[in-house]
Amino acid sequence: MDCPVTDSDIEFYQQNGFMRYKGFFFKQEMDRLRAAIDDAITSHRDRILGAEDGGRSSEDYERVFNQMVNLWVDNPEAKQFAFSERLAETGRRLCGARNVRIYHDHAMVKPAGQQSKETNCHQDAPYWPMDPVGSLSAWIAVDDVTIDNGCLHFTPGSHKFGKLEPIKLGVEGESIVDKMREKGHDVAEPVAMEMEAGGVTFHHGCNFHYANANSTDHPRRAFAVIFIPDFVTFTGGREAAGAGDEMTAGAPWDHPAHPILAGEA
Ligand SMILES: O=C(O)CCC(=O)C(=O)O
């Protein structure tokens, strides 16, 4: 397996809480993934997450993006990417785990044009039933992503603030970076992660990140996979695969809905 991670990548990730790999996948592979996402979104509209999901409550949420989770369960094409050993091994090395499991995958299609809204600056970790922090996302650019169509922006070093209060995604003006600056914290300027289709960024669950509204004429598609390191436990309650009742709060993640994708069992 041709895993791109070097020692200096690991150091960069630990310092900054993100890492970018341009050209991680071939463009032709993204043609397949794009078709799989379009098919999933059009044929399973009932599974698009809306205002009620996980505290992300907002009537405007679908203008931020149309989001669908766990495509891997019934979409073999999407599963090839969600279960990519090279992707998982890259995440595993960056976060320094013995192994990583999948939490869930998700397609995020940011609609084009005037109705599009920004993805507010937020952390992911407050929405995840996990402790300690350390889980991370791999975010695959399925289309070319630019500042204008909603590439991600990461805030260097912000993961070191740890897990903070969740903010309301889709609510105008809600921003974790603004909240922290109002409290007098020194927060770095975010950096834009423009890249062509096939590029992948990895980000720590506590990194502050956002994406602009998509002001172009075409939807912006992304496919992300969240990895749980072996040292992270389940904190109980509701979780994305609906397996929370079959797991033990305070214990390591161990359930067929969250298989190990890289590293030793
Ligand atoms: O794709 C987006 O606009 C936001 C993605 C995001 O917040 C994430 O993957 O954690």
Side-chain angles (χ1 to χ4, degrees):
M1 187 206 324
D2 176 24
C3 177
V5 182
T6 64
D7 287 349
S8 67
D9 292 350
I10 295 170
E11 202 183 317
F12 182 92
Y13 175 81
Q14 301 290 344
Q15 281 302 320
N16 293 287
F18 68 91
M19 184 67 210
R20 173 171 54 183
Y21 293 98
K22 292 182 175 174
F24 191 96
F25 291 109
F26 294 116
K27 292 218 166 188
Q28 298 89 315
E29 294 179 287
M30 292 303 97
D31 294 341
R32 285 173 22 218
L33 182 55
R34 192 177 307 119
I37 290 172
D38 286 351
D39 180 52
I41 296 270
T42 44
S43 58
H44 295 294
R45 296 207 72 78
D46 51 312
R47 273 174 52 195
I48 294 176
L49 298 187
E52 75 293 349
D53 178 58
R56 300 176 172 199
S57 55
S58 160
E59 289 169 5
D60 286 337
Y61 190 54
E62 70 186 44
R63 290 165 61 192
V64 177
F65 38 57
N66 285 314
Q67 187 183 23
M68 188 182 285
V69 305
N70 285 325
L71 273 69
W72 72 265
V73 172
D74 57 2
N75 186 317
E77 192 73 65
K79 185 176 179 182
Q80 284 187 23
F81 294 92
F83 278 45
S84 157
E85 201 184 340
R86 193 163 146 260
L87 191 73
E89 177 63 8
T90 301
R92 185 191 76 76
R93 289 198 202 173
L94 290 175
C95 72
R98 201 164 56 88
N99 65 49
V100 289
R101 294 175 181 272
I102 185 170
Y103 179 37
H104 64 78
D105 64 32
H106 50 153
M108 287 167 286
V109 181
K110 198 177 247 310
Q114 296 215 325
Q115 87 273 26
S116 182
K117 283 181 68 111
E118 70 170 340
T119 311
N120 317 43
C121 193
H122 68 284
Q123 299 181 305
D124 298 330
Y127 307 100
W128 295 340
M130 302 177 196
D131 189 57
V133 298
S135 294
L136 73 166
S137 292
W139 191 97
I140 305 172
V142 181
D143 293 301
D144 294 350
V145 292
T146 62
I147 290 174
D148 290 340
N149 76 354
C151 71
L152 289 184
H153 294 66
F154 295 128
T155 311
S158 53
H159 63 303
K160 294 183 181 166
F161 287 110
K163 180 164 36 173
L164 305 167
E165 286 300 302
I167 62 144
K168 289 195 175 73
L169 286 177
V171 175
E172 204 96 33
E174 281 276 309
S175 156
I176 190 67
V177 79
D178 290 352
K179 280 192 173 67
M180 293 303 277
R181 284 186 177 144
E182 277 159 22
K183 287 183 185 162
H185 294 285
D186 190 13
V187 187
E189 281 306 314
V191 282
M193 293 287 115
E194 292 193 312
M195 54 189 173
E196 293 182 4
V200 178
T201 53
F202 290 80
H203 65 273
H204 187 286
C206 293
N207 189 277
F208 302 175
H209 57 287
Y210 74 93
N212 289 339
N214 177 2
S215 60
T216 70
D217 297 336
H218 303 287
R220 183 232 63 188
R221 302 170 192 81
F223 186 65
V225 186
I226 301 163
F227 298 117
I228 312 171
D230 60 286
F231 54 80
V232 169
T233 62
F234 174 55
T235 50
R238 196 165 156 262
E239 64 89 28
D245 292 345
E246 296 165 18
M247 296 193 295
T248 310
W253 287 73
D254 183 10
H255 192 280
H258 304 285
I260 292 174
L261 298 187
E264 297 162 24

